[in-house]
Amino acid sequence: MYDQDIRAVVRTLMVAKAVCGAAAARLVVLGDPESRQLAEVFGAAADVQPETPPVALVTGRVEPAVPRDIPVVHVHGTGALQAYALFPEDGPRSFEEELPGRVAAFFEQYVWPQREVIRPSAERVAWQAKSDYQVRTDTERRQLRNYGCARLGLDPDLPTIAVTAHVPGRDTELFETTARFAASDDSANWLFADPIAHPHDRVRSGLAELSTNILWSLTDVAVSFGDSDLPAFGIPVIQSGFSEGAGCGATHVARTPPDQVRLLEEAVARHGKGDTILGPEQRERGRLWLWMRRCGADVPTQLLPHWAHGADYPRVLAVNLCYVERDGDPLFSAVHRMWERREPLLTRFDFRYPAGLSTTLTPARSNR
């Protein structure tokens, strides 16, 4: 643990404590002195260089050189509690190379077949996720699109491609391929969240602070270097960087520069004719993946405050630890289930018990 955010540190500690219970292991913490001091509350051993080899690595950051001969559990920020896991038997490649395939296999086996049962809950989650986008009708979207194009000096009759979620230093080849393509293309508008050198007037960059209303109204196609909710709302995404759900069928995945160029050419050509590269299944798969990230794979626990508590997190955590018992808390049963079944992610529900899933999910109701 080398994170300065107490929310990330505590989540990592709590999941590690649960893994210790599942694996009959003891907790050893590597991190700065403040993190190790906090870890003592969770029963961490004082010895940070044990003679016995580790049985698992629990971390908030997965580096490229993370070992693959032991289970790796990656604890996420946001939400209640999210974590992904990869086990040695899953394959020899790196965590980021192997995980999307494992998550996709889980999605195809347990989530997609239950889409009729999940759909009402997925629609509700999508409605909540859309709260930052206040446009209600196609007419409002067209009006806001025209305003956004006028504000940025773009042609509203051309398709607009938005490039988002790129982290400097990562996926450099695909990002540079996208930037070169944009620089040579005169048949679309291009929006880059990051500042880039752009040689012609159809490219705008440094737009990270653009409002959700403007961005969503302008975007016909997104090129995302991370997770994106846009397919759930009818906007196609070319997935150009790591995403846990990249293999779940909601996006078009570009693994090489030739893939990237081919997908960009198709997207610009089809959207220039008023068509779309969003397939008929992709929107529903996008909504199901959005539901997985915000509900199905987000485990509620009384021990940990929700990520959204922000500055109040330490106070709420102190209250929870004083008054909440760990016995029966969903966090521990979810971690044990993931560990024993070698599943690639924590889950709120037991997806291997469809009858229980259908009775647990809230029935459909009007959101108006």
Side-chain angles (χ1 to χ4, degrees):
M1 299 184 305
Y2 296 93
D3 203 303
Q4 298 302 309
D5 193 326
I6 188 174
R7 297 174 295 180
V9 171
V10 171
R11 283 162 179 253
T12 304
L13 280 171
M14 194 67 77
V15 172
K17 186 67 175 177
V19 169
C20 286
R26 64 192 180 105
L27 180 62
V28 175
V29 173
L30 303 180
D32 55 46
E34 291 80 8
S35 296
R36 293 202 303 271
Q37 184 177 12
L38 179 61
E40 294 177 3
V41 178
F42 292 80
D47 181 10
V48 296
Q49 292 182 327
E51 295 181 1
T52 56
V55 299
L57 171 66
V58 181
T59 178
R61 299 182 187 178
V62 176
E63 304 294 342
V66 69
R68 290 292 293 109
D69 56 340
I70 60 173
V72 178
V73 180
H74 180 207
V75 184
H76 264 223
T78 75
L81 178 66
Q82 302 172 27
Y84 295 87
L86 204 62
F87 299 89
E89 58 267 28
D90 291 335
R93 298 185 301 168
S94 71
F95 187 93
E96 290 193 352
E97 291 173 321
E98 293 283 3
L99 184 65
R102 299 295 300 170
V103 171
F106 184 95
F107 184 92
E108 293 297 330
Q109 186 171 1
Y110 299 113
V111 180
W112 181 246
Q114 299 298 321
R115 57 190 178 276
E116 297 293 337
V117 174
I118 297 171
R119 185 175 292 125
S121 182
E123 291 298 315
R124 184 173 59 253
V125 168
W127 177 76
Q128 293 168 342
K130 199 179 179 182
S131 60
D132 289 337
Y133 185 56
Q134 304 299 326
V135 177
R136 295 167 295 179
T137 66
D138 289 341
T139 299
E140 289 183 354
R141 183 180 188 271
R142 283 194 300 271
Q143 291 172 339
L144 193 55
R145 176 189 176 86
N146 288 334
Y147 164 77
C149 285
R151 173 180 160 185
L152 296 173
L154 300 173
D155 186 345
D157 294 327
L158 295 179
T160 299
I161 319 297
V163 184
T164 66
H166 179 248
V167 177
R170 297 192 59 179
D171 305 303
T172 303
E173 191 175 20
L174 289 178
F175 184 78
E176 291 178 351
T177 298
T178 305
R180 285 195 299 270
F181 187 96
S184 64
D185 178 69
D186 291 321
S187 54
N189 301 316
W190 294 84
L191 306 177
F192 284 79
D194 297 335
I196 64 167
H198 43 86
H200 72 71
D201 60 2
R202 301 209 188 281
V203 178
R204 300 291 182 271
S205 67
L207 303 175
E209 301 303 319
L210 208 62
S211 73
T212 302
N213 282 331
I214 294 288
L215 181 62
W216 282 27
S217 295
L218 286 173
T219 301
D220 296 300
V221 179
V223 178
S224 179
F225 288 83
D227 258 324
S228 175
D229 297 338
L230 292 179
F233 304 106
I235 300 174
V237 167
I238 297 172
Q239 187 73 53
S240 303
F242 172 74
S243 164
E244 292 83 2
C248 294
T251 62
H252 301 269
V253 180
R255 294 184 172 85
T256 66
D259 285 347
Q260 188 82 342
V261 171
R262 174 180 56 81
L263 288 169
L264 290 172
E265 288 176 340
E266 181 183 2
V268 171
R270 291 182 63 174
H271 284 265
K273 298 176 181 178
D275 198 359
T276 179
I277 61 169
L278 188 74
E281 273 190 13
Q282 284 182 305
R283 182 178 180 275
E284 182 161 21
R285 286 178 175 270
R287 294 217 161 188
L288 288 173
W289 177 242
L290 174 63
W291 174 84
M292 276 295 290
R293 288 198 296 114
R294 295 194 176 219
C295 180
D298 193 35
V299 178
T301 167
Q302 295 186 62
L303 293 166
L304 294 175
H306 194 279
W307 187 268
H309 277 289
D312 290 332
Y313 196 92
R315 182 182 62 84
V316 179
L317 174 66
V319 172
N320 288 4
L321 294 181
C322 284
Y323 296 105
V324 175
E325 295 295 334
R326 58 177 285 182
D327 297 340
D329 191 274
L331 183 156
F332 291 91
S333 58
V335 171
H336 277 248
R337 185 168 60 239
M338 178 187 72
W339 184 265
E340 291 170 1
R341 296 177 179 177
R342 294 316 209 225
E343 292 179 342
L345 70 172
L346 282 184
T347 57
R348 180 181 299 198
F349 313 103
D350 187 346
F351 282 90
R352 298 193 186 186
Y353 181 49
L357 182 66
S358 63
T359 57
T360 303
L361 293 177
T362 305
R365 64 177 184 267
S366 174
N367 285 320
R368 297 182 180 178

